[in-house]
């Protein structure tokens, strides 16, 4: 089943075109890694899928529902407010810098959206939170506050918060870039376990080993374009594209 499809996405900020005719798809259970240099459009692409940005033209379909589609003038027309809200519930987003509420406990960070967005009871949302904290190796941290946790622990809480909403697709925006190498391994271990459980994931990352060993498909972006789209073996081992080779040589 196709979970996510993007067709001919274009996005500009003023005179700067940051997404240039981007097309790709993700099927159920796949892990898509998006790699490329800073400023290549990776995060803007993720933000466009999660409605944090709007595209100028093109089509985005999520779990069979159309978020936006170009009209006859080539301008992206978005679904209505209720439809957009329903589509957003298919997605979970893990941010680069955790984005936890500093004045909420770990428990409240994980239960707040469950109760407000999904209408779950306190008892149900807390039960789910405790199960996820155990899965993340954070048992006993439910009453802690973000400032009392390491960066790696905060990011694991962020992943638990996203999973608590039962998303169909989990998106990661460079989830390890704010962490030191030791803490990075904590997060990659969690992500590997999610991949083993066949969680559909889209991961913007600078972790080439993760992309090479865990992803089903890899997209290499540069200057707003998809330069290469293929299996890890095709992109990392068999590419004939000089720009891809130059980028990977740095790793």
């Amino acid at each position: 089943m196709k979970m996510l499809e993007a067709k001919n996405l274009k996005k500009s900020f003023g005179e700067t075109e940051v997404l240039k005719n981007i097309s790709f798809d993700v099927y159920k259970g796949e892990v898509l890694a998006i790699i490329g240099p800073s400023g290549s459009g990776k995060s803007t692409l993720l933000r466009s899928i999660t409605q944090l940005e709007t595209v100028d033209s093109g089509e985005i379909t999520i779990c069979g529902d159309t978020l936006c589609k170009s009209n006859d003038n080539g301008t992206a027309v978005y679904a209505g407010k209720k439809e957009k809200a329903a589509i957003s519930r298919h997605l979970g987003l893990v941010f680069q810098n955790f984005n936890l509420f500093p004045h909420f406990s770990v428990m409240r960070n994980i239960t707040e959206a469950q109760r407000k967005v999904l209408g779950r009871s306190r008892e149900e949302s807390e039960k789910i939170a405790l199960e996820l904290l155990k899965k993340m190796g954070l048992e006993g941290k439910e009453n802690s506050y973000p400032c009392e946790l390491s960066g790696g622990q905060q990011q694991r809480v962020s992943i638990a918060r996203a999973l608590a909403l039962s998303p169909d697709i989990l998106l990661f925006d460079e989830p390890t870039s704010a962490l030191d190498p030791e803490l990075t391994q904590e997060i990659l271990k969690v992500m590997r376990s999610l991949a083993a459980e066949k969680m559909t994931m889209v991961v913007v990352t600078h972790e080439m080993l993760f992309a090479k060993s865990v992803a089903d498909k890899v997209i290499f972006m540069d200057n707003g374009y998809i330069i290469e789209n293929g299996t890890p073996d095709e992109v990392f081992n068999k590419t004939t594209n000089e720009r891809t080779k130059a980028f990977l040589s740095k790793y």
Side-chain angles (χ1 to χ4, degrees):
M1 177 184 173
K2 194 176 287 189
M3 303 293 281
L4 170 62
E5 184 172 22
K7 293 181 182 177
N8 309 119
L9 301 185
K10 295 182 180 179
K11 170 69 178 177
S12 295
F13 293 108
E15 298 296 313
T16 305
E17 196 175 7
V18 292
L19 297 179
K20 303 173 183 177
N21 217 36
I22 298 294
S23 298
F24 67 93
D25 52 35
V26 182
Y27 283 80
K28 187 174 179 64
E30 284 186 336
V31 177
L32 170 66
I34 304 176
I35 63 173
S38 297
S40 59
K42 306 185 302 297
S43 290
T44 299
L45 176 58
L46 219 60
R47 290 173 64 84
S48 298
I49 294 166
T50 55
Q51 301 182 43
L52 295 173
E53 298 285 357
T54 55
V55 294
D56 301 324
S57 64
E59 182 176 347
I60 300 173
T61 304
I62 297 168
C63 297
D65 297 322
T66 300
L67 174 62
C68 65
K69 189 173 184 178
S70 290
N71 61 16
D72 292 339
N73 296 322
T75 302
V77 177
Y78 276 76
K81 186 176 181 179
K82 185 181 289 186
E83 290 81 3
K84 287 196 295 182
I87 290 169
S88 71
R89 293 191 191 111
H90 291 299
L91 306 174
L93 177 60
V94 178
F95 294 91
Q96 183 174 335
N97 292 312
F98 324 137
N99 280 35
L100 298 174
F101 294 108
H103 55 296
F104 285 2
S105 67
V106 166
M107 177 61 78
R108 191 173 173 190
N109 264 288
I110 300 173
T111 58
E112 187 80 358
Q114 291 188 67
R115 299 181 67 191
K116 289 191 173 181
V117 177
L118 300 182
R120 288 175 180 159
S121 67
R122 171 174 287 181
E123 184 180 14
E124 183 185 9
S125 60
E126 288 186 353
K127 181 183 177 184
I128 289 168
L130 289 172
E131 289 171 352
L132 286 168
L133 286 171
K134 183 177 180 180
K135 184 175 183 176
M136 296 293 135
L138 293 171
E139 287 178 280
K141 295 293 186 182
E142 59 270 18
N143 295 319
S144 299
Y145 284 81
C147 65
E148 299 173 314
L149 304 177
S150 69
Q153 288 173 329
Q154 288 185 59
Q155 191 61 293
R156 280 182 278 158
V157 172
S158 180
I159 294 171
R161 178 180 61 182
L163 287 170
L165 295 178
S166 306
D168 296 299
I169 309 169
L170 198 54
L171 302 103
F172 295 83
D173 187 6
E174 299 189 11
T176 61
S177 65
L179 304 175
D180 65 38
E182 187 173 355
L183 297 179
T184 290
Q185 293 310 310
E186 291 180 10
I187 304 308
L188 294 179
K189 182 180 178 181
V190 169
M191 293 169 69
R192 287 175 190 274
S193 69
L194 292 172
E197 294 169 10
K198 292 299 179 182
M199 182 76 204
T200 307
M201 297 192 287
V202 178
V203 185
V204 171
T205 184
H206 287 296
E207 298 294 332
M208 295 301 123
L209 184 58
F210 175 86
K212 190 174 184 178
S213 60
V214 179
D216 298 288
K217 294 192 290 196
V218 178
I219 284 175
F220 170 55
M221 289 185 67
D222 188 33
N223 193 32
Y225 291 101
I226 289 180
I227 303 298
E228 199 142 7
N229 183 356
T231 65
D233 185 49
E234 289 168 342
V235 173
F236 285 96
N237 301 326
K238 297 178 180 176
T239 182
T240 57
N241 184 284
E242 292 303 321
R243 181 66 189 94
T244 306
K245 287 180 179 179
F247 175 77
L248 294 176
S249 70
K250 297 172 184 175
Y251 293 88

